[in-house]
Amino acid sequence: MLRIQCPVCGLRDETEFTYGGDATITRPAMDETDPQVWLDYVFTRENPRGAHREYWHHALGCRQWLVLERDTLTHEMGACVLARDAVGEAPAKEVAA
Amino acid sequence: MGAYSAISVLWQGLTGNQGWERVWRDPDPKPHYDVVIVGGGGHGLATAYYLAKEHGVRNVAVLEKGWLGGGNTGRNTTIVRSNYMMPGNTLFYERSMKLWEDLSRDLNFNVMFSQRGQYNLCHSPAQMDAARRRGNIMRANGIDAELFGREEVRRRLPYFDYSQNARFPIHGAIFQGRAGTARHDAVAWGYARAADRQGVDIIQQCEVTGFLRDGDAITGVETTRGPIRAGKVGLAVAGHSGHLAKMAGLRLPIETHCLQAFVSEPLKPLVDTVISYGAAHFYISQSDKGGLVMGGDLDGYNSYAQRGGLPIVEHTLASAKALMPSISRLRLLRHWAGVMDMSMDGSPFITGTPVEGLYLNGGWCYGGFKATPASGWCFAWTIAKDEPHADNAEFTLGRFERGYQIDEKGMGPQPNAH
């Protein structure tokens, strides 16, 4: 059981959350015309063995989208912040405008 | 090293089993090979075997960082089937099935392939329609498939919940009689022995730490046992595909996820076939030792940890109990996890890459074990001839660019949903 330190609700079980995938992926501008850029956005991933920034949705809690730093090899937890606060470091696809 | 036969087994039994020889050599790596295969699981060993047997490429090494078959080859639930319906998949998996049917004889090693049949249960009229369509596509391609209604399923598999209380009532099932199970360790050992007999060097405890390059082209590998030069390098490293591709400067349409499997305490024979639940992601069979072998969903988040979390244990066993209430008091004997190379469309890669000298076999998601023979056969073809065989022609990296994903489950680019 992963336990995630939600910045709103505190330490909560993984079963309250939905996984949202790699948070370092940035959606291209809507007028982007290079298919390679869209290909990378939709399909290719860094898939690191180690530190990973990832989205989690606290679906059965405060319903906020979060950005969590987690090690994919050890499952060690790092910082967890609201996705809207992480905008700028890594623009978030799920954050409302 | 002699071939195994009934006579050799009998003779060894009569003479105290003193005469068995080492099954494969343990050579030091040579400085150069024509082909180096990274990954000593079923796929890598099968590739080396077919390179030597089918294409006469015998100066081959298989490098394994741990022990043979210690990754996903030894961690799967041993199910073999060929019930695929997307063009690109169907005939590939049927090639695999045909190779399985002759594998023990071909390798001179008993892989205990048991064609006990596999049922995919359907729990709604819509699922029955989808099963009928799948079955028709299979039969049109010469693959066996049968569709059974509820009463026939009940007659054949009486131990499921057919009561009014069943959470997901069983409407019927699609059945493939030639499907079944094989002993997964024996597959690795059988291919290792057969490859070794063809002159392939199998080098264990040898981790690849980087690539040797000449300009952009890859000309070998750096390993914990020194540099090894190679004409061609093939990757068959399952969940670590992305990790090795990154060393070569490639980004792949793959995420690595953790998948668990479970074995119960042994029972007398109960489940004499392979069952896939259609309502939740759950499948069950029974091993020759009597344990019920079960599998379920991915843990759901990127992981290289090779160990699973408890929420999926609960989810899988809840599925088991919903389907077969009679096993509710059974205890688990073991559970473990492997790391899956989940591709963005749920289908694999057997292909050359944009990097000269580097070939990729990966993206197997949950389905690598059944594919082992055809995977090795097609990967060997691709490496030897520098072009794909018709059966793996669609398993390219470029299919995403062209919009030709092979999305058997129709999930879209969500690796944790396939």
Side-chain angles (χ1 to χ4, degrees), chain B residues 25-243:
Chain B
R25 297 164 296 127
D26 183 23
D28 285 321
K30 292 191 281 190
H32 179 272
Y33 291 92
D34 293 338
V35 178
V36 162
I37 304 293
V38 185
H43 292 241
L45 293 164
T47 304
Y49 170 64
Y50 291 117
L51 271 171
K53 179 181 171 234
E54 303 285 339
H55 306 284
V57 183
R58 291 196 166 74
N59 187 21
V60 175
V62 177
L63 310 183
E64 166 55 47
K65 75 172 174 178
W67 65 94
L68 297 186
N72 293 348
T73 301
R75 292 166 193 264
N76 58 69
T77 48
T78 78
I79 298 166
V80 174
R81 56 185 169 86
S82 62
N83 53 353
Y84 285 73
M85 60 178 245
M86 301 299 289
N89 275 342
T90 314
L91 293 176
F92 171 80
Y93 286 101
E94 180 57 13
R95 171 177 292 283
S96 210
M97 181 62 82
K98 288 185 175 139
L99 288 167
W100 277 113
E101 287 175 327
D102 191 42
L103 196 59
S104 291
R105 192 201 56 76
D106 186 33
L107 298 180
N108 183 234
F109 198 95
N110 185 5
V111 299
M112 297 167 75
F113 182 46
S114 160
Q115 291 179 292
R116 56 185 68 181
Q118 190 236 2
Y119 295 82
N120 269 299
L121 300 177
C122 303
H123 304 270
S124 66
Q127 268 189 325
M128 286 296 282
D129 288 347
R132 184 175 289 113
R133 176 173 177 235
R134 178 175 296 270
N136 282 333
I137 292 172
M138 288 165 65
R139 291 174 75 126
N141 282 286
I143 304 167
D144 64 311
E146 291 170 77
L147 193 69
F148 298 135
R150 175 180 167 90
E151 286 314 310
E152 180 64 11
V153 175
R154 185 171 195 167
R155 193 182 67 76
R156 287 165 171 251
L157 309 167
Y159 39 80
F160 293 150
D161 187 351
Y162 295 94
S163 73
Q164 292 295 314
N165 298 327
R167 175 67 184 82
F168 297 103
I170 293 168
H171 283 236
I174 181 172
F175 177 68
Q176 187 184 19
R178 287 156 70 234
T181 60
R183 175 151 189 234
H184 49 196
D185 298 319
V187 174
W189 300 335
Y191 271 119
R193 173 169 169 274
D196 181 85
R197 293 177 77 182
Q198 297 272 359
V200 171
D201 280 1
I202 295 167
I203 299 159
Q204 300 180 69
Q205 309 279 314
C206 180
E207 181 172 358
V208 170
T209 54
F211 291 100
L212 303 173
R213 291 200 179 239
D214 178 11
D216 285 339
I218 281 179
T219 57
V221 288
E222 291 280 2
T223 77
T224 48
R225 293 175 70 170
I228 302 171
R229 305 200 80 81
K232 297 174 179 180
V233 176
L235 300 182
V237 295
H240 295 279
S241 297
H243 185 66

Side-chain angles (χ1 to χ4, degrees), chain A residues 33-91:
Chain A
T33 54
D34 181 357
Q36 185 62 39
V37 176
W38 286 101
L39 181 78
D40 282 342
Y41 166 65
V42 178
F43 294 115
T44 66
R45 296 291 178 264
E46 204 59 34
N47 191 23
R49 185 168 80 176
H52 192 231
R53 280 169 64 82
E54 58 198 25
Y55 288 117
W56 289 83
H57 182 215
H58 199 177
L60 301 180
C62 58
R63 303 200 56 79
Q64 295 299 303
W65 276 95
L66 311 173
V67 172
L68 172 68
E69 284 176 21
R70 187 179 58 91
D71 190 302
T72 59
L73 188 57
T74 64
H75 292 181
E76 189 182 351
M77 296 290 178
C80 181
V81 298
L82 293 175
R84 59 168 174 259
D85 295 339
V87 172
E89 308 163 47

Side-chain angles (χ1 to χ4, degrees), chain B residues 8-44:
Chain B
S8 75
V9 171
L10 191 64
W11 175 251
Q12 290 294 340
L14 291 171
T15 55
N17 285 310
Q18 299 300 304
W20 293 116
E21 291 171 45
R22 214 191 151 100
V23 175
W24 51 81
R25 297 164 296 127
D26 183 23
D28 285 321
K30 292 191 281 190
H32 179 272
Y33 291 92
D34 293 338
V35 178
V36 162
I37 304 293
V38 185
H43 292 241

